[in-house]
Amino acid sequence: MDDAYKMINQTLVSLINEIWELEEKAIITDEFKDLTNNDMHVIEAIGLGEGNNMSSIARKLNITVGSLTTAMNSLVNKRYVERHRSEEDRRVVLVKLTEKGVKAYHHHEDYHRQMTQAILDKLDDTELPVLVKTLDALSEFFTGYSENKE
């Protein structure tokens, strides 16, 4: 079991690092060279639609509203995001992707689709539930670890 532990640990650490590095190379193209990997994840968290408030976006990213504000100011200046006040409650500021932001969102989404499809193409119907169970366990660990650190 010790060899299996070492192999799984090494693979997980390697995958996390590789995904982060390769994602940056894949999504930061000439068209989006003014964005960082973090910017793309903020854009992803904002999502499509009429807008979200800062608190809900910060929760999705597991960061503070203050940290998000810094990233948001940059994205507004780069014209990927726009802010506007809620019609129902003028105290609430909603954040929405611009047309340029929507293009970046779809570009990032396409990378994720390709990555996921590459995995699915390698699995048969009996292997897929095992992968889903494994990823659920990993997700539960990250969620629990994050909640215990707060």
Side-chain angles (χ1 to χ4, degrees), residues 128-146:
L128 187 57
V130 175
L131 176 61
V132 170
K133 183 177 178 180
T134 304
L135 293 175
D136 279 344
L138 190 58
S139 180
E140 283 179 26
F141 167 77
F142 286 137
T143 300
Y145 191 83
S146 173

Side-chain angles (χ1 to χ4, degrees), residues 3 13 58 82 84 94 98 106 111 141 144-145:
D3 287 342
V13 170
E82 58 188 25
H84 62 278
L94 298 174
T98 63
H106 286 302
Y111 170 77
F141 167 77
Y145 191 83

Side-chain angles (χ1 to χ4, degrees), residues 31-32 34-35 43 75 78-81 97-98 100-101 104:
E31 183 176 7
F32 303 111
D34 58 340
L35 292 175
I43 287 170
L75 288 170
K78 295 174 187 176
R79 302 185 193 279
Y80 286 94
V81 172
L97 298 179
T98 63
K100 186 177 177 182

Side-chain angles (χ1 to χ4, degrees), residues 11 14 24 26 35 52 67 73 79 82 91-92 106 118 130 134:
T11 301
S14 178
E24 188 166 12
L35 292 175
N52 288 307
S67 295
N73 289 340
R79 302 185 193 279
E82 58 188 25
R91 296 171 297 176
V92 175
H106 286 302
V130 175
T134 304

Side-chain angles (χ1 to χ4, degrees), residues 42 45-46 52-61 68 72 95:
V42 171
I46 294 168
N52 288 307
N53 65 46
M54 294 283 283
S55 298
S56 66
I57 297 166
R59 267 192 306 277
K60 283 183 191 176
L61 294 167
L68 179 60
M72 207 59 75
V95 180

Side-chain angles (χ1 to χ4, degrees), residues 25-142:
K25 290 176 184 170
I27 62 178
I28 309 303
T29 60
D30 282 345
E31 183 176 7
F32 303 111
K33 64 181 173 247
D34 58 340
L35 292 175
T36 66
N37 219 4
N38 284 335
D39 288 338
M40 278 294 197
H41 288 108
V42 171
I43 287 170
E44 178 183 42
I46 294 168
L48 303 174
E50 292 306 306
N52 288 307
N53 65 46
M54 294 283 283
S55 298
S56 66
I57 297 166
R59 267 192 306 277
K60 283 183 191 176
L61 294 167
N62 201 23
I63 62 174
T64 66
V65 173
S67 295
L68 179 60
T69 299
T70 302
M72 207 59 75
N73 289 340
S74 172
L75 288 170
V76 167
N77 288 338
K78 295 174 187 176
R79 302 185 193 279
Y80 286 94
V81 172
E82 58 188 25
R83 293 182 179 113
H84 62 278
R85 296 226 177 254
S86 167
E87 294 299 322
E88 292 82 36
D89 184 346
R90 302 293 295 159
R91 296 171 297 176
V92 175
V93 176
L94 298 174
V95 180
K96 178 182 173 184
L97 298 179
T98 63
E99 186 177 324
K100 186 177 177 182
V102 170
K103 281 181 75 173
Y105 177 94
H106 286 302
H107 177 67
H108 187 220
E109 180 181 54
D110 187 55
Y111 170 77
H112 281 247
R113 184 193 54 73
Q114 289 176 44
M115 179 177 62
T116 303
Q117 193 61 51
I119 295 166
L120 292 174
D121 289 347
K122 301 274 185 186
L123 301 176
D124 64 39
D125 290 344
T126 62
E127 294 169 317
L128 187 57
V130 175
L131 176 61
V132 170
K133 183 177 178 180
T134 304
L135 293 175
D136 279 344
L138 190 58
S139 180
E140 283 179 26
F141 167 77
F142 286 137

